Amino acid sequence: MGILEQLYQNIIKGKAPEAKICAQKALEENILPQEIISKGMNSAMEEVGLRFSRNEFFLPEMMVASRAMKAGMEILEPYIVGESIGHAGKIVLGTIEGDLHDVGKNLVAMMFKGAGFNVVDLGIDVSKEKFLESIQKESPQFVGISALITTVLPNVVEAVDYLKKSEVVGNCKILVGGAPVTPEFAKAAKADGYAPDAGSAIQVAKTLIAGQVQ
Ligand code: B12
């Protein structure tokens, strides 16, 4: 079994120490961190989600799988983040109120750090007021709102509307993402940008910055 397959299996089984070892070994085999994440880790979480929807997995299995994924991410983070944090700008990130999922949001944070952004991570279950407070304090170029369950999508719409109506937000662009978020939803919610994954979120942010400069 290849190392990415082993990593995939260990995440599904929620084996955090083993996932760490596999992530380290994959790096030693010169596999790029991004490939390790997409082939060995994200795909495992997708499978866990499928098993949950088929009633083969329950909450505890989802929980331990996310812990194993986070353990693997810890190993990869230094290879993605590098040392040049801050030169590209600042982003305030958080998972929307009512939602406790943070693996995807943490990956987005990691990629933004890797692209040279200073990341202010507000964590999970973040209210629109808390997002606004942080924008006021930090003056970021971007705010990123993550949502993983369909029931919290109305909270995203409400938060975007609330932030857009505030003068404090000014030129700060609002990005939205998460598994149930679609380009159509993002447009209807009047967000400035949407990305299906952490890698393309950076491209969207760069495009928005370029648009401002022109
Ligand atoms: C792990 C997990 C959990 C863990 C979360 C632990 C944690 N610390 O995050 C726990 C056990 C807590 C959990 C709880 C629940 N979960 Co859950 N969970 C998952 C699971 C299996 C994986 C999520 C994940 O980590 N994915 C991996 C990451 C890397 O992917 P991602 O989050 O999508 O992020 C990527 C992109 O979406 C994007 N992105 C994400 N955020 C942002 C933000 C911005 C700004 C941008 C640009 C991009 C972006 O970039 C990321 C990286 O590439 C998913 C299944 C799935 N396929 O999503 C179900 C899933 C999301 N959960 C689900 C459900 C139902 C629940 C519960 C309601 C279950 C319950 N009965 O209590 C609770 C909700 C609790 C709450 N209030 O939030 C459903 C949601 C269904 C729906 N349509 O609403 C899913 C889809 C499972 C399923 N198939 O039914 N869950």
Side-chain angles (χ1 to χ4, degrees):
M1 204 194 296
I3 195 66
L4 294 183
E5 175 66 18
Q6 287 179 44
L7 176 58
Y8 173 89
Q9 294 296 345
N10 281 319
I11 290 179
I12 292 178
K13 290 177 191 150
K15 294 185 171 177
E18 288 83 351
K20 263 189 172 175
I21 293 167
C22 288
Q24 186 61 50
K25 279 191 185 158
L27 285 172
E28 284 159 17
E29 287 185 19
N30 291 323
I31 306 175
L32 289 174
Q34 284 79 359
E35 192 181 343
I36 301 175
I37 290 173
S38 65
K39 294 196 178 147
M41 301 170 90
N42 285 351
S43 49
M45 296 308 272
E46 253 168 58
E47 177 58 24
V48 170
L50 287 175
R51 292 188 191 186
F52 178 78
S53 45
R54 293 197 299 256
N55 288 327
E56 294 164 15
F57 270 14
F58 298 94
L59 270 183
E61 284 93 348
M62 284 209 289
M63 182 65 87
V64 290
S66 70
R67 285 203 195 125
M69 166 125 187
K70 284 183 183 182
M73 278 163 64
E74 259 175 46
I75 299 293
L76 303 180
E77 180 154 18
Y79 296 85
I80 290 178
V81 170
E83 285 163 7
S84 56
I85 292 181
H87 68 83
K90 196 186 267 187
I91 179 164
V92 163
L93 262 182
T95 301
I96 195 68
E97 188 162 23
D99 196 335
L100 309 177
H101 296 83
D102 66 354
V103 176
K105 184 260 303 159
N106 294 351
L107 254 182
V108 173
M110 207 193 275
M111 292 298 176
F112 268 93
K113 284 183 197 162
F117 282 82
N118 202 331
V119 176
V120 179
D121 190 342
L122 302 179
I124 53 176
D125 196 19
V126 182
S127 66
K128 54 185 189 293
E129 291 85 3
K130 206 167 159 197
F131 274 114
L132 185 63
E133 210 177 280
S134 181
I135 294 168
Q136 210 159 4
K137 188 170 159 225
E138 305 286 349
S139 306
Q141 282 76 24
F142 298 100
V143 57
I145 306 179
S146 181
L148 261 290
I149 36 181
T150 44
T151 46
V152 300
L153 291 178
N155 300 353
V156 176
V157 177
E158 217 182 283
V160 175
D161 185 55
Y162 178 78
L163 296 177
K164 288 265 170 185
K165 280 182 180 149
S166 156
E167 281 176 18
V168 173
V169 170
N171 275 336
C172 171
K173 301 289 181 199
I174 305 175
L175 306 178
V176 292
V181 177
T182 60
E184 294 74 27
F185 168 84
K187 203 172 166 202
K190 299 197 170 62
D192 299 299
Y194 153 81
D197 56 63
S200 44
I202 307 300
Q203 294 313 315
V204 171
K206 285 184 177 164
T207 309
L208 285 169
I209 290 178
Q212 270 181 345
V213 172
Q214 280 161 14

